Amino acid sequence: MSKLKIAIQKSGRLYEESLQLLKDCGILVNNGKDQLKVSVDNFPMEIMYLRNSDIPQYLEDGVVDVAIVGENLLIEKQKNIQTVEKLGFSKCRVSIAVPKEIETDDPAYFQGKKIATSYPNTLRNFLNQKDIEADIHVISGSVEIAPNIGLADGICDIVSSGSTLFKNGLRETVTLLKSEAVLAQNPQLSPEKAAILDKFLFRIKAVLKAKNSKYILMNVPNDKIQKVANVLPVLKSPTVIPLAEEGWSSIHSVIDQERFWEVIDELKENGAQDILIIPIDKMVI
C-alpha cells in the first residue's frame, strides 16, 4: 500500500506546531528529532524531517508528496508547488526594516543603498515593482545585525513580534507579504496518494474548524427564541431544549471565534442569559 510522504521542519518554529497538528489529526508519531524518516502506524503516512530551506526542492522533485512549510519560503523559492490548505499557525510577515533613527518609511530611501536579506527573490521583485535600484546582500542568518556592523543600510527579513528588530535598534517600515504555515503538495501525485491526501485534508479541516469555533449554550425566554436564533451564525439551525422552568429553553449552537464578542453582545441584547462557552475538539461537517 502506498504511503503519503510528508516533510516537516526538523527544528525551529514550525516543528512543534506541525507535530501538534498531526497529533490533533489522530496521527501518532512515536519518535522525535533523532530520526530523519519515520513511519506512522495508524495512518498511511511517512514523515521526513528536513531543513526548512530544502523542503521546496524536495517537493518539486517528488522526493516528498506534501509538506508543512511557510508560505514565505514557497514564494521565495519560486518552485512548481501547489498550496493545498492554510493552517493558521506560525504567522509572520516579510518586511523591510531600517535603523530606528531613520524617520522615513518610503521604500525610495533605499535607492542606491544596501539591503541585507535572506529573501533576495522576494525583495528583488518588490524593488522592481517600485523602480528602486539597491544593492542586495544575501545573508543566511542573523540578518538583523547587518546595519549595526555597517554591512547594509537596512534589512528585509521575516518578522513575528518585532522584538528582535527592537533589540537591534531597527524598526519595521514596509510589509512585503504576510505568511503562515501551509500544507503544500507536489502537483504530480498518483491517484492512490491523492486519495490519502484527501483523507488527511478532511482531518485537518475538522481540526481547524474546531479551533476557530466555540460551542455555546444559553438560557432564553421562549418569546425571544427567534430573536436569539437570528443572531446565531449556526451550521443549520440551533438546538432548542425546554427547561424545567416553564417559559424558558436552552439553546445550543456554534459561533466563530473571530466574531465571538460581537455575537455575545448581540445575544445578551436579545434576551440570552447564563451563557456558557465550551471549546470544541473536532468539527466534522
Side-chain angles (χ1 to χ4, degrees):
M1 181 180 178
S2 293
K3 290 190 174 184
L4 191 71
K5 295 180 180 179
I6 181 171
I8 66 172
Q9 186 175 321
K10 68 178 181 180
S11 61
R13 63 191 184 94
L14 274 176
Y15 172 77
E16 294 292 344
E17 289 175 298
S18 298
L19 286 184
Q20 185 61 52
L21 176 63
L22 294 178
K23 180 180 179 181
D24 292 342
C25 290
I27 297 170
L28 304 180
V29 183
N30 295 321
N31 86 308
K33 304 177 185 178
D34 296 334
Q35 294 178 258
L36 296 179
K37 186 170 70 172
V38 184
S39 292
V40 175
D41 293 333
N42 65 341
F43 193 79
M45 176 179 284
E46 191 172 66
I47 301 170
M48 297 183 69
Y49 298 103
L50 303 173
R51 286 199 321 170
N52 195 44
S53 59
D54 293 337
I55 290 177
Q57 188 64 59
Y58 276 73
L59 264 176
E60 186 178 54
D61 292 342
V63 177
V64 295
D65 305 308
V66 296
I68 298 174
V69 64
E71 277 182 294
N72 56 300
L73 187 61
L74 295 182
I75 292 170
E76 172 61 27
K77 294 298 184 179
Q78 300 178 344
K79 300 296 184 181
N80 181 28
I81 297 168
Q82 178 182 349
T83 297
V84 180
E85 184 74 26
K86 293 190 175 186
L87 302 177
F89 58 81
S90 291
K91 293 185 177 181
C92 65
R93 53 198 179 273
V94 177
S95 296
I96 290 175
V98 298
K100 60 184 179 182
E101 61 269 17
I102 303 300
E103 295 182 355
T104 182
D105 290 352
D106 190 344
Y109 164 78
F110 285 103
Q111 183 70 40
K113 292 185 171 64
K114 299 175 182 178
I115 309 176
T117 186
S118 298
Y119 294 87
N121 292 327
T122 303
L123 175 59
R124 190 174 293 109
N125 289 339
F126 173 78
L127 294 176
N128 289 340
Q129 291 172 8
K130 299 293 184 179
D131 293 323
I132 297 171
E133 293 186 7
D135 186 5
I136 298 176
H137 283 242
V138 181
I139 301 177
S140 59
S142 300
V143 175
E144 62 278 352
I145 199 174
N148 291 330
I149 62 176
L151 180 63
D153 300 290
I155 69 168
C156 176
D157 200 15
I158 59 171
V159 179
S160 295
S161 66
S163 61
T164 302
L165 294 181
F166 180 79
K167 290 175 183 177
N168 286 275
L170 302 174
R171 65 180 187 85
E172 189 176 359
T173 59
V174 182
T175 297
L176 276 58
L177 62 90
K178 293 183 179 180
S179 172
E180 64 184 271
V182 298
L183 183 69
Q185 73 161 85
N186 177 284
Q188 304 297 327
L189 287 187
S190 68
E192 189 173 3
K193 288 190 175 183
I196 299 172
L197 176 57
D198 285 343
K199 291 181 180 179
F200 183 39
L201 268 173
F202 177 80
R203 297 189 184 194
I204 288 176
K205 289 178 179 179
V207 169
L208 295 181
K209 184 64 178 175
K211 287 183 177 179
N212 294 325
S213 303
K214 298 293 183 182
Y215 192 79
I216 183 169
L217 305 85
M218 71 207 81
N219 294 332
V220 180
N222 288 345
D223 60 352
K224 295 185 179 180
I225 288 177
Q226 190 56 54
K227 286 185 177 181
V228 168
N230 291 339
V231 172
L232 292 168
V234 294
L235 300 177
K236 286 188 173 64
S237 64
T239 300
V240 180
I241 302 173
L243 296 180
E245 183 176 346
E246 188 175 348
W248 286 79
S249 294
S250 175
I251 294 183
H252 299 205
S253 188
V254 173
I255 60 176
D256 292 333
Q257 180 70 38
E258 290 183 358
R259 294 192 61 224
F260 178 81
W261 290 112
E262 176 187 345
V263 172
I264 294 297
D265 289 341
E266 290 185 44
L267 290 172
K268 290 177 64 179
E269 290 172 2
N270 284 278
Q273 300 180 21
D274 308 322
I275 301 172
L276 298 179
I277 310 298
I278 302 173
I280 301 173
D281 187 44
K282 304 287 187 299
M283 275 187 68
V284 180
I285 57 177

